[in-house]
Amino acid sequence: MSLRILFGGVRFVLVPRGGGVFPSQQCLRWCRPPQARTQHSAVSEVASHPKLVVPPVPNAVRDRTVGRWLLICSGTVAGAVVLGGITRLTESGLSMVDWHLVREMKPPQTQQEWETEFQKYQQFPEFKILNHDMTLTEFKFIWYMEYSHRMWGRLVGLTYIIPAAYFWRKGYLNRSLKSRVLALCGLICFQGLLGWYMVKSGLEEKTDSHDIPRVSQYRLAAHLGSALVLYCSSLWTGLSLLLPQHKLPETHQLLRLRRFTYGTAGLVFLTAISGAFVAGLDAGLVYNSFPKMGERWIPDDLLAFSPRLKNFFENPTTVQFDHRILGISSVTAITGLYLLSRKIPLPHRTRMAMASLLAVAYLQVGLGISTLLLYVPTPLAATHQSGSLILLSVALWLIHELRRIPK
């Protein structure tokens, strides 16, 4: 016999013990109602798991996010290359005669500050030799051109570094991506230092030279080359994360096409670097005729410097001649590559890349010839420089389409 009593939400049960008489010997037990037990168990379960486990981000979402970020980064680098080309064409690169990471981010505001900045510029060779009659208004234009290029460079750095830190912390980057992202961020810092090293070469007094002040063509080529490496690395990694690979049959013809594509892309890259020597020496203003250089196919002053190797890097005639040969060789190689691809069954996207490469190559040659014949007008020359970047991008896309799937 037992007696159940409900008091304050707790059920008490009186149970006789050991067969004794109920009034004299009894045991008092208590228990909670089922609802109370359920609430108690729920609270205990939550208390035993103080931290909620967040499910990991799916690999497809992670790769798509990081891939899009890297494509945006490569776009900002392309903008810096184009803006840097315009800065060179407008001869604005030597207008800012010092370099500060943070302090120079604020441009001059008052008339007095502009006068001070102009006086600093007047102490250097470019003003003394080339721009001695420049007004303050003209100086403001070239100063803002260089200022825009430098601020864009800082934007490129922030576009890389801040998202990289976020993705690293959130676990979006595997071991391979971490190494690549670290290398890209390191290259960004190197690129900024190399840019100032290049500018310094144009600010130095050269008492043994009667040439107009300009930056070293060697440093200009190095600055452009490192920018192109940064751009191509970012673009390649972004494409690898976003575009699925084709399962192409490893035939002899495909292997031959793949090797030919590698060589053609290298030729396009070399042509772009040779363009930096053309810009650095103003070699586009030497022989403004095509296909001949003046009245001859091979000009008389092609190897005028001694030693002869010096002509390929410091003689404007030789530099322009080399750029012509490399450009014609590039478009010839791309044409041969296209004809070879017609004999091989390829996916639709790969054929699109091949056709795009051919179209951009002929457009780029047309822009180059027009720029030469019209004595290097700034808008046309800037378009030609941008075209080299587009051509390199399409070549990289084609390589990506033809790459071998790792086993």
Side-chain angles (χ1 to χ4, degrees):
M1 180 179 179
S2 63
L3 179 62
R4 291 179 174 84
I5 303 173
L6 184 62
F7 179 76
V10 179
R11 180 184 299 157
F12 294 89
V13 183
L14 297 175
V15 182
R17 184 191 303 175
V21 183
F22 173 71
S24 58
Q25 292 181 350
Q26 54 188 346
C27 174
L28 179 64
R29 295 189 306 172
W30 66 276
C31 64
R32 293 182 181 274
Q35 182 181 2
R37 286 202 304 270
T38 304
Q39 293 175 353
H40 174 73
S41 61
V43 172
S44 301
E45 186 176 353
V46 173
S48 64
H49 298 83
K51 293 184 178 180
L52 297 177
V53 179
V54 180
V57 180
N59 289 340
V61 176
R62 180 196 65 193
D63 291 348
R64 187 164 59 247
T65 303
V66 176
R68 289 173 178 173
W69 162 61
L70 288 173
L71 288 187
I72 293 172
C73 289
S74 62
T76 60
V77 176
V81 172
V82 173
L83 189 56
I86 298 174
T87 302
R88 178 69 189 90
L89 288 168
T90 55
E91 298 181 345
S92 306
L94 300 177
S95 56
M96 297 180 70
V97 296
D98 48 16
W99 189 86
H100 301 283
L101 183 61
V102 178
R103 195 170 67 188
E104 72 179 20
M105 295 178 67
K106 181 183 178 182
Q109 301 292 324
T110 64
Q111 182 70 16
Q112 181 61 39
E113 290 177 346
W114 275 113
E115 291 287 350
T116 302
E117 195 70 26
F118 192 27
Q119 289 173 5
K120 289 194 294 184
Y121 173 69
Q122 292 172 353
Q123 299 172 12
F124 289 88
E126 186 176 67
F127 177 83
K128 296 177 181 177
I129 299 174
L130 188 63
N131 295 331
H132 53 84
D133 57 347
M134 175 176 281
T135 64
L136 180 60
T137 302
E138 294 169 334
F139 170 73
K140 286 182 179 181
F141 171 77
I142 63 171
W143 191 93
Y144 271 120
M145 286 298 304
E146 174 65 9
Y147 175 79
S148 301
H149 183 52
R150 294 193 185 189
M151 291 304 103
W152 189 271
R154 285 164 174 78
L155 176 63
V156 173
L158 294 176
T159 306
Y160 274 91
I161 294 173
I162 294 178
Y166 174 81
F167 291 137
W168 192 299
R169 180 178 177 82
K170 291 295 183 179
Y172 277 48
L173 307 177
N174 56 31
R175 181 176 297 180
S176 175
L177 277 176
K178 284 181 179 179
S179 301
R180 294 186 187 186
V181 168
L182 277 178
L184 292 175
C185 293
L187 193 55
I188 278 286
C189 299
F190 173 75
Q191 178 72 357
L193 295 174
L194 187 58
W196 172 240
Y197 179 67
M198 176 191 69
V199 170
K200 281 187 65 178
S201 66
L203 300 176
E204 298 169 352
E205 295 277 357
K206 300 183 176 76
T207 55
D208 57 341
S209 175
H210 300 285
D211 199 2
I212 63 174
R214 57 165 67 99
V215 299
S216 165
Q217 67 272 22
Y218 297 101
R219 301 185 191 184
L220 177 61
H223 189 49
L224 175 63
S226 64
L228 293 180
V229 169
L230 177 64
Y231 172 78
C232 293
S233 302
S234 303
L235 182 61
W236 178 268
T237 308
L239 291 176
S240 300
L241 294 172
L242 292 174
L243 294 182
Q245 290 182 268
H246 297 299
K247 295 182 179 180
L248 301 174
E250 294 295 327
T251 62
H252 177 72
Q253 284 182 317
L254 181 64
L255 292 176
R256 183 183 176 190
L257 180 66
R258 187 181 289 148
R259 294 191 190 101
F260 197 0
T261 306
Y262 291 156
T264 303
L267 192 58
V268 170
F269 184 87
L270 186 61
T271 305
I273 296 299
S274 75
F277 284 91
V278 173
L281 293 171
D282 290 329
L285 299 173
V286 179
Y287 287 96
N288 298 95
S289 57
F290 190 87
K292 292 184 177 181
M293 298 182 71
E295 299 297 327
R296 303 174 65 89
W297 290 101
I298 300 177
D300 294 332
D301 55 342
L302 187 67
L303 298 175
F305 292 6
S306 181
R308 288 190 174 185
L309 183 62
K310 190 177 181 181
N311 289 278
F312 295 94
F313 305 103
E314 299 184 15
N315 186 344
T317 300
T318 313
V319 167
Q320 188 194 118
F321 181 82
D322 292 343
H323 192 61
R324 290 184 183 214
I325 297 300
L326 287 171
I328 294 172
S329 301
S330 296
V331 74
T332 303
I334 291 171
T335 304
L337 188 67
Y338 177 79
L339 295 176
L340 179 62
S341 70
R342 301 290 294 176
K343 303 176 182 179
I344 305 174
L346 296 172
H348 175 68
R349 199 175 67 200
T350 308
R351 291 207 172 277
M352 284 183 57
M354 187 70 71
S356 300
L357 182 65
L358 184 70
V360 174
Y362 278 94
L363 178 62
Q364 178 68 355
V365 168
L367 286 171
I369 295 173
S370 301
T371 302
L372 186 68
L373 297 178
L374 296 175
Y375 292 86
V376 196
T378 298
L380 194 58
T383 306
H384 179 56
Q385 292 180 357
S386 304
S388 66
L389 196 61
I390 297 173
L391 184 62
L392 185 61
S393 304
V394 180
L396 204 66
W397 175 28
L398 180 59
I399 293 177
H400 189 275
E401 292 293 323
L402 295 173
R403 77 191 191 279
R404 186 196 305 270
I405 298 179
K407 296 181 180 180

